Amino acid sequence: MLSYLANPLRFMRFSRLAVPICFALGIVMVGWSLYNGLLVVPPDERQGGDLMRAMFTHVPSAWLCMGLYAALAGASFVWYIWRHELADVAARAIAPIGAGYTALCFITGSIWGQKGWGAGWHNLILGDSRLMSVLVLFFLFLGYMALRAALETRQKAARAAAILAMVGIVNVPIIKVSVDMWQTTTIHQPSSVISIGSPEPREEGSGMNPIYLQQLLWGFGGHTLLAAAMVMMLMRSEVYTQQGDRLLARKLEGA
């Protein structure tokens, strides 16, 4: 599938249909998740009462910002090794979407933490391993976009940004293990769905009430589709821009 879409013409044909479908399905799934999360499921007093409802946006955005950075690093690697131009277009499109979801993760986490932790993320960021590693992820997205804008030629900008993206991928597993392996350096709750290297024994299963987990998965699926649609829209815009630039250059050469 990826090799099929690597051709720009095939990608443009595919994305023309995929974008509206992803948007429509994503809106329905996110809407269903929020409706049930905000109005149907009961509050959990251990998680901050009604403020825990922020998790139905916070958790999917946290998962997605890490996934988007992994996709950014993967696309950067493909461009860096094989100089595939569509991979660079994809990386450039992913960065602002990833930064937006990382910011959404911080905002919703701060709302949830006001009661669950007694303080918002903005008061805890510098002393907490999970929050600091997510902040680093946010700066990596911003740094990638800044490099793309700062350097004078597209090739130099793409090369420098690709190196940054590939080096920064080490931060993604750090974000994951920060609450499972370094519990003394964070007040963030341990992972409830997937736990890696946690020293504490856990009950069987995910550790989360299925009524909450179901809505989180609906929300994650919906946000993933929305992010995919936005990335494809930005990629289409970039492809059209490059085609217009080449057409203009040929006209100027012939003038």
Side-chain angles (χ1 to χ4, degrees):
M1 184 64 175
L2 290 178
S3 60
Y4 176 83
L5 294 178
N7 181 284
L9 292 177
R10 288 196 291 261
F11 167 77
M12 295 298 280
R13 287 197 297 267
F14 170 82
S15 60
R16 185 166 55 247
L17 294 175
V19 167
I21 292 173
C22 287
F23 263 126
L25 289 177
I27 289 171
V28 169
M29 293 173 70
V30 170
W32 179 253
S33 171
L34 292 178
Y35 168 75
N36 285 283
L38 297 177
L39 301 175
V40 177
V41 302
D44 186 344
E45 293 303 324
R46 295 174 302 172
Q47 298 289 335
D50 280 322
L51 285 179
M52 54 76 65
R53 299 181 189 279
M55 77 172 173
F56 297 109
T57 300
H58 171 68
V59 175
S61 63
W63 292 344
L64 193 52
C65 69
M66 290 187 287
L68 285 168
Y69 192 87
L72 172 64
S76 297
F77 176 79
V78 170
W79 179 85
Y80 192 83
I81 299 299
W82 292 287
R83 289 298 192 269
H84 198 293
E85 290 302 317
L86 198 60
D88 181 57
V89 170
R92 191 170 184 176
I94 290 167
I97 309 302
Y101 270 104
T102 309
L104 182 62
C105 173
F106 271 116
I107 293 168
T108 52
S110 182
I111 293 170
W112 188 6
Q114 290 292 336
K115 187 173 182 181
W117 300 342
W121 285 30
H122 55 284
N123 294 325
L124 298 168
I125 247 177
L126 295 179
D128 188 283
S129 59
R130 165 56 68 88
L131 307 188
M132 177 58 75
S133 56
V134 175
L135 180 63
V136 169
L137 185 72
F138 183 59
F139 285 144
L140 284 169
F141 279 122
L142 295 183
Y144 181 92
M145 291 186 287
L147 274 176
R148 298 299 306 237
L151 297 181
E152 62 273 14
T153 67
R154 182 173 177 271
Q155 287 295 313
K156 287 182 179 180
R159 185 176 184 277
I163 292 172
L164 174 65
M166 290 186 291
V167 171
I169 192 63
V170 299
N171 187 55
V172 173
I174 290 174
I175 294 174
K176 174 56 191 169
V177 303
S178 61
V179 294
D180 291 324
M181 299 186 68
W182 305 325
Q183 294 181 9
T184 59
T185 62
T186 180
I187 65 172
H188 193 287
Q189 69 185 60
S191 298
S192 299
V193 179
I194 300 174
S195 177
I196 298 177
S198 174
E200 299 296 329
R202 288 183 174 271
E203 298 178 358
E204 293 184 3
S206 71
M208 177 179 289
N209 189 317
I211 196 173
Y212 300 137
L213 179 58
Q214 184 181 32
Q215 305 314 319
L216 288 179
L217 295 177
W218 273 104
F220 176 63
H223 280 290
T224 300
L225 289 173
L226 290 177
M230 289 186 284
V231 168
M232 285 188 287
M233 284 183 62
L234 291 178
M235 289 178 67
R236 288 176 61 83
S237 175
E238 178 67 17
V239 170
Y240 279 132
T241 298
Q242 291 183 14
Q243 290 175 344
D245 289 344
R246 286 193 292 267
L247 181 60
L248 179 61
R250 285 197 295 267
K251 287 185 176 180
L252 291 175
E253 288 176 359

